Amino acid sequence: AQKQRVGVFGLTQPAVYSVDNEEQTGASLEFVVPRDLADGFVNNKRECYKFRFQKVFDQAVKQEEIFENIAKPVADSVLAGYNGTIFAYGQTGSGKTFTVTGGAERYSDRGIIPRTLSYLFERFSQDSSMVYNTHISYLEIYNEMGYDLLDSRHEASRLEDLPKVMIMEDPDQNIHLRNLSLQPSANEEEALNLLFLGDTNRMIAETPMNQASTRSHCVFTVHLCRREPGSATLRRSKLHLVDLAGSDRVSKTGLNGQLLTEAKYINLSLHYLEQVIIALSEKNRSHIPYRNSMLTSVLRDSLGGNCMTTMIATMAVDKRNLDESISTCRFAQRVALIKNEAILNEELDPALQIARLKREIQSLKEELAMLTGEQRDDQLTVEEIQKLEELVKTFLDDRDPDVTLSLGPDMRKIQYCFSLLRVMYLHALEDIFSSGCYASSLK
Ligand code: ADP
Ligand code: MG
């Protein structure tokens, strides 16, 4: 197990601030409150506010750089078998969705999710010593209710039409999300299609009345399973990429009626998130109020649990938003106090273990028979040859890296299969040369 602090990064849009990225232990962001604003300001005695971050970026930063600095290290630990979480926190319009998902206008604007998916699948293809298996889920939490964004069965028109997701807790206090679909994705394209489906559902479900994108939390999760061929141990890890609801405060939004209730709800669930964070940063605190909201239940492992967690604080730092930016920084400083304990999620798969032991027994039986039994020297029958050809074909077609060709203790059969494989190999070579593929691949 390894303990580390939750990483906190700041991302700002232009205004009244200064950044020092050259400090030894990280970076600092300093706000100077102009005199005309200081009156009536929260904590109005102070004019200068300084906050520490691992790194501070301004809005001209390239998405590529955000990915390299923030997401790649988390993706690497997920590849190694640890859980990882990246969440974006900040007021509406400060760039959370732009950072997490990306902008639609330019390819270079794509955000952390699509870049991370590309990176993961690229790494899978480079690592042929492991078998990787990927599933994706995409959850939207709105007014304490979860919705499955990857539902493709019907065209949803409202959020309420999407499948509702429930939280279940098992006797070991593990959280399960009932009704949240886990979609398999075999390659980058399939994964990006799922992201696209989820984002489309997210957009369709949004109406001016519910403004879901500012009032809901979206949790995109990559579920990874990795194993070495022939081994019965698995490593499972989860990567949550989270676009939180706007952290705007109710008093400022000046809404009424229905919309006010909803605004309070966002604050309520971010308020519970903050409660959990405060509890985690206090020493000797035994009870952490995870169960107060759906968001904190879903993120339970990410906050002070078994996870490598990174927070991105987004800020729109113009004069009007100074108080919001300062409260975003305060939240980030509390998050930075949390200590997480990431452990390697390794487990033994009983089914794989049984399959492995069966193969071992089979091969030991054959070895034994070979040592003790009598070798036959009559010819193979037509039926036997046909059977062998089928076995070889199944053996070659099977994509399971653990596949074996079991022929029993009969040297005639073993030799026949070897010569069959040799003929097939020579034929395949001939095909490559005659089709010109080989020549063109040499160019
Ligand atoms: P949020 O999700 O926090 O409410 P958005 O990500 O939707 O905010 O950003 C608000 C607007 O600002 C969007 O039009 C977005 O494209 C734009 N934007 C945010 N960050 C950047 C950036 N770094 N560069 C260019 N445009 C940005
Ligand atoms: Mg948004």
Side-chain angles (χ1 to χ4, degrees):
Q2 110 188 66
K3 276 217 174 195
Q4 83 284 315
R5 286 194 186 277
V6 175
V8 181
F9 295 86
L11 186 63
T12 66
Q13 295 186 8
V16 212
Y17 66 94
S18 66
V19 174
D20 184 355
N21 262 322
E22 303 303 315
E23 295 182 13
Q24 273 188 345
T25 49
S28 72
L29 174 64
E30 189 168 344
F31 299 99
V32 180
V33 179
R35 290 206 175 274
D36 58 328
L37 256 179
D39 270 345
F41 198 81
V42 237
N43 265 347
N44 59 10
K45 292 288 174 290
R46 286 170 64 188
E47 292 188 344
C48 183
Y49 296 81
K50 194 169 176 177
F51 300 98
R52 305 200 54 77
F53 289 91
Q54 239 161 291
K55 204 156 180 165
V56 179
F57 304 92
D58 67 17
Q59 89 155 4
V61 67
K62 293 202 170 60
Q63 295 280 48
E64 167 79 36
E65 204 180 321
I66 298 287
F67 171 76
E68 290 288 327
N69 277 279
I70 301 178
K72 204 168 158 180
V74 180
D76 282 331
S77 73
V78 171
L79 280 164
Y82 297 95
N83 290 336
T85 296
I86 300 174
F87 66 91
Y89 177 100
Q91 75 179 108
T92 303
S94 58
K96 295 181 298 295
T97 305
F98 187 85
T99 307
V100 175
T101 308
E105 273 167 37
R106 281 179 300 267
Y107 184 63
S108 59
D109 280 350
R110 67 200 194 288
I112 286 176
I113 300 178
R115 283 172 194 272
T116 303
L117 291 174
S118 286
Y119 179 68
L120 290 176
F121 283 101
E122 184 195 317
R123 290 287 308 274
F124 299 162
S125 67
Q126 287 166 351
D127 183 4
S128 53
S129 67
M130 294 286 168
V131 186
Y132 291 95
N133 207 307
T134 311
H135 286 79
I136 286 177
S137 63
Y138 202 175
L139 168 73
E140 176 156 359
I141 302 174
Y142 180 69
N143 277 357
E144 281 305 303
M145 181 57 84
Y147 300 93
D148 183 5
L149 287 172
L150 295 187
D151 175 60
S152 53
R153 280 168 303 172
H154 49 76
E155 297 271 297
S157 55
R158 294 174 309 162
L159 202 58
E160 296 73 37
D161 296 335
L162 291 169
K164 293 190 176 44
V165 177
M166 314 289 182
I167 293 228
M168 314 281 281
E169 201 171 320
D170 69 19
D172 295 331
Q173 300 202 328
N174 295 310
I175 298 284
H176 299 275
L177 296 172
R178 208 178 75 188
N179 244 355
L180 181 67
S181 61
L182 286 188
Q183 308 279 356
S185 70
N187 51 48
E188 181 184 347
E189 192 189 344
E190 284 181 21
L192 289 177
N193 284 341
L194 290 168
L195 172 62
F196 182 75
L197 169 68
D199 282 338
T200 307
N201 277 335
R202 198 171 148 179
M203 262 177 329
I204 293 174
E206 183 175 2
T207 63
M209 272 308 283
N210 67 21
Q211 289 180 26
S213 74
T214 70
R215 289 155 199 284
S216 65
H217 315 287
C218 289
V219 185
F220 184 92
T221 308
V222 184
H223 307 252
L224 203 67
C225 172
R226 159 191 134 141
R227 88 184 163 91
E228 209 175 325
S231 157
T233 51
L234 297 175
R235 284 189 191 174
R236 284 185 204 282
S237 47
K238 270 189 289 189
L239 173 59
H240 292 308
L241 301 169
V242 189
D243 185 356
L244 291 175
S247 60
D248 325 46
R249 282 165 293 172
V250 143
S251 58
K252 270 199 74 187
T253 52
L255 301 166
N256 46 37
Q258 168 73 11
L259 283 174
L260 182 63
T261 335
E262 288 168 355
K264 214 167 68 194
Y265 256 118
I266 303 174
N267 269 327
L268 203 59
S269 91
L270 285 176
H271 167 78
Y272 286 133
L273 179 63
E274 189 159 6
Q275 295 294 300
V276 165
I277 283 162
I278 289 170
L280 283 167
S281 59
E282 281 170 8
K283 272 188 196 143
N284 310 323
R285 182 74 186 254
S286 60
H287 175 71
I288 310 292
Y290 289 110
R291 287 190 199 168
N292 283 345
S293 79
M294 185 160 195
L295 179 70
T296 47
S297 301
V298 172
L299 294 185
R300 182 168 161 166
D301 283 344
S302 310
L303 300 163
N306 175 21
C307 193
M308 284 193 179
T309 303
T310 296
M311 167 180 166
I312 303 172
T314 60
M315 285 161 260
V317 205
D318 54 46
K319 275 193 198 172
R320 270 179 307 122
N321 291 316
L322 217 47
D323 51 349
E324 291 283 4
S325 299
I326 288 170
S327 73
T328 295
C329 286
R330 288 208 176 108
F331 184 87
Q333 309 299 286
R334 283 196 277 275
V335 171
L337 294 173
I338 305 175
K339 282 204 182 101
N340 277 8
E341 191 164 355
I343 52 165
L344 208 53
N345 301 300
E346 203 160 53
E347 58 191 74
L348 195 70
D349 182 323
L352 282 176
Q353 179 78 329
I354 290 168
R356 207 183 72 164
L357 292 173
K358 275 187 177 163
R359 275 198 303 275
E360 196 173 323
I361 290 172
Q362 181 65 22
S363 93
L364 287 173
K365 273 186 182 164
E366 287 167 10
E367 203 176 310
L368 192 65
M370 200 109 78
L371 291 173
T372 58
E374 285 177 21
Q375 291 293 321
R376 302 166 57 173
D377 47 15
D378 47 335
Q379 294 288 306
L380 290 169
T381 66
V382 179
E383 288 78 24
E384 279 171 324
I385 288 177
Q386 219 165 19
K387 178 92 182 117
L388 288 176
E389 283 169 358
E390 274 164 28
L391 279 175
V392 168
K393 187 170 179 330
T394 329
F395 171 66
L396 292 176
D397 289 343
D398 196 333
R399 305 295 299 270
D400 183 349
D402 294 340
V403 63
T404 55
L405 182 56
S406 247
L407 301 168
D410 190 337
M411 271 327 279
R412 299 167 313 154
K413 289 184 180 173
I414 292 169
Q415 267 152 10
Y416 182 82
C417 285
F418 268 116
S419 59
L420 190 60
L421 284 166
R422 181 169 184 275
V423 169
M424 289 168 88
Y425 170 72
L426 291 175
H427 274 307
L429 273 190
E430 255 170 48
D431 284 350
I432 290 172
F433 276 113
S434 62
S435 70
C437 285
Y438 185 65
S440 66
S441 76
L442 280 180
K443 275 182 204 150

